[in-house]
Amino acid sequence: EIVLTQSPGTLSLSPGERATLSCRASQSVTSTKLAWYQQKPGQAPRLLIYGASSRATGIPDRFSGSGSGTDFTLTISRVEPEDFAVYYCQQYGSSPNTFGQGTKLEIK
Amino acid sequence: EVQLVQSGTEVKQIGESLKISCKGSGYNFARYWIGWVRQKPGKGPEWMGIIYPSDSDTRYSPSFQGQVTISADKSISTAYLQWSSLKASDTAIYYCARQVATAMSNFDYWGQGTLVTVSS
């Protein structure tokens, strides 16, 4: 199965700063079938990005995704207070689908 | 509005059986794959498997094959996850989620989660 490694484990930023989150796959992800989810405490994950770079419905344009092959990035152009959460990547191009271990975005 | 509503918190003993549910509404339940995801405290989600309610085609992650059973009743728009003999290591939050299109798709809508606690 494809192992996804996210870095950093924790990212400490102030509101208004730019956030760059990385997701590296152990093998190439088929057809850029990679998604990003946001999870806040006590809540289910929420879809942000699919197909590596397409924003889900209702997701603000400060969120963007990029990458292909084995290296993918989620960028938040200017972090808002409501963006502090844990972010997970998921590949769904190879069975079984797998998730990364997460990056926690915390207030500095 | 698409909604997935899961059954409530469960507290069970080791060796007991359990079946939790996920009821969909606001869309054609039979025509979308429904998946189950396990999440242990402080850990990333784990994809367990999916089912296509229209014909009950089911796919499992190798890590969960033989450990759980996924089923669905399209007549009542409900998917199920069941265990025949719970272990302490099954303690986790379990989410159901709808896959966007094919069996190889991301999830777009999620249930609220069911906390399962297994103790001795």
Side-chain angles (χ1 to χ4, degrees), chain A residues 11-88:
Chain A
L11 184 58
S12 300
L13 295 173
S14 299
E17 291 191 291
R18 182 183 186 88
T20 303
L21 287 68
S22 173
C23 176
R24 179 161 290 177
S26 60
Q27 306 166 43
S28 184
V29 176
T30 305
S31 302
T32 61
K33 289 193 173 188
L34 187 113
W36 289 93
Y37 300 86
Q38 177 194 68
Q39 188 175 33
K40 296 181 179 179
Q43 296 184 17
R46 177 176 73 141
L47 176 67
L48 300 175
I49 301 287
Y50 63 93
S53 60
S54 298
R55 268 188 304 277
T57 303
I59 302 303
D61 60 8
R62 64 179 181 273
F63 290 92
S64 63
S66 63
S68 64
T70 60
D71 289 294
F72 298 87
T73 301
L74 175 69
T75 302
I76 309 173
S77 58
R78 290 174 53 186
V79 176
E80 297 286 339
E82 62 268 27
D83 299 338
F84 292 98
V86 180
Y87 292 83
Y88 296 101

Side-chain angles (χ1 to χ4, degrees), chain B residues 101-116:
Chain B
T102 68
M104 302 302 289
S105 299
N106 56 280
F107 295 120
D108 60 353
Y109 289 92
W110 293 67
Q112 82 277 20
T114 296
L115 172 62
V116 175

Side-chain angles (χ1 to χ4, degrees), chain A residues 1 33 35 37 39 42-47 49-51 88 90-102, chain B residues 37 39 42-47 59-63 95 99-100 102-113:
Chain A
E1 71 178 46
K33 289 193 173 188
Y37 300 86
Q39 188 175 33
Q43 296 184 17
R46 177 176 73 141
L47 176 67
I49 301 287
Y50 63 93
Y88 296 101
Q90 177 208 17
Q91 70 78 25
Y92 50 96
S94 299
S95 186
N97 294 8
T98 48
F99 289 86
Q101 83 283 11
Chain B
V37 174
Q39 189 169 34
K43 302 293 186 183
E46 299 172 89
W47 188 90
R59 321 276 175 92
Y60 292 94
S61 165
S63 297
Y95 294 99
Q99 291 206 172
V100 173
T102 68
M104 302 302 289
S105 299
N106 56 280
F107 295 120
D108 60 353
Y109 289 92
W110 293 67
Q112 82 277 20

Side-chain angles (χ1 to χ4, degrees), chain B residues 24-96:
Chain B
S25 62
Y27 72 101
N28 187 341
F29 181 82
R31 296 295 189 92
Y32 286 80
W33 291 85
I34 284 280
W36 287 94
V37 174
R38 182 175 79 178
Q39 189 169 34
K40 296 191 173 186
K43 302 293 186 183
E46 299 172 89
W47 188 90
M48 302 175 71
I50 52 173
I51 187 165
Y52 191 65
S54 180
D55 61 6
S56 291
D57 185 3
T58 310
R59 321 276 175 92
Y60 292 94
S61 165
S63 297
F64 292 94
Q65 179 86 47
Q67 308 303 308
V68 296
T69 301
I70 294 171
S71 60
D73 184 342
K74 63 183 178 183
S75 70
I76 56 171
S77 301
T78 301
Y80 302 96
L81 177 66
Q82 69 180 89
W83 296 258
S84 59
S85 180
L86 287 160
K87 309 180 184 75
S89 58
D90 293 320
T91 294
I93 296 174
Y94 292 85
Y95 294 99
C96 65

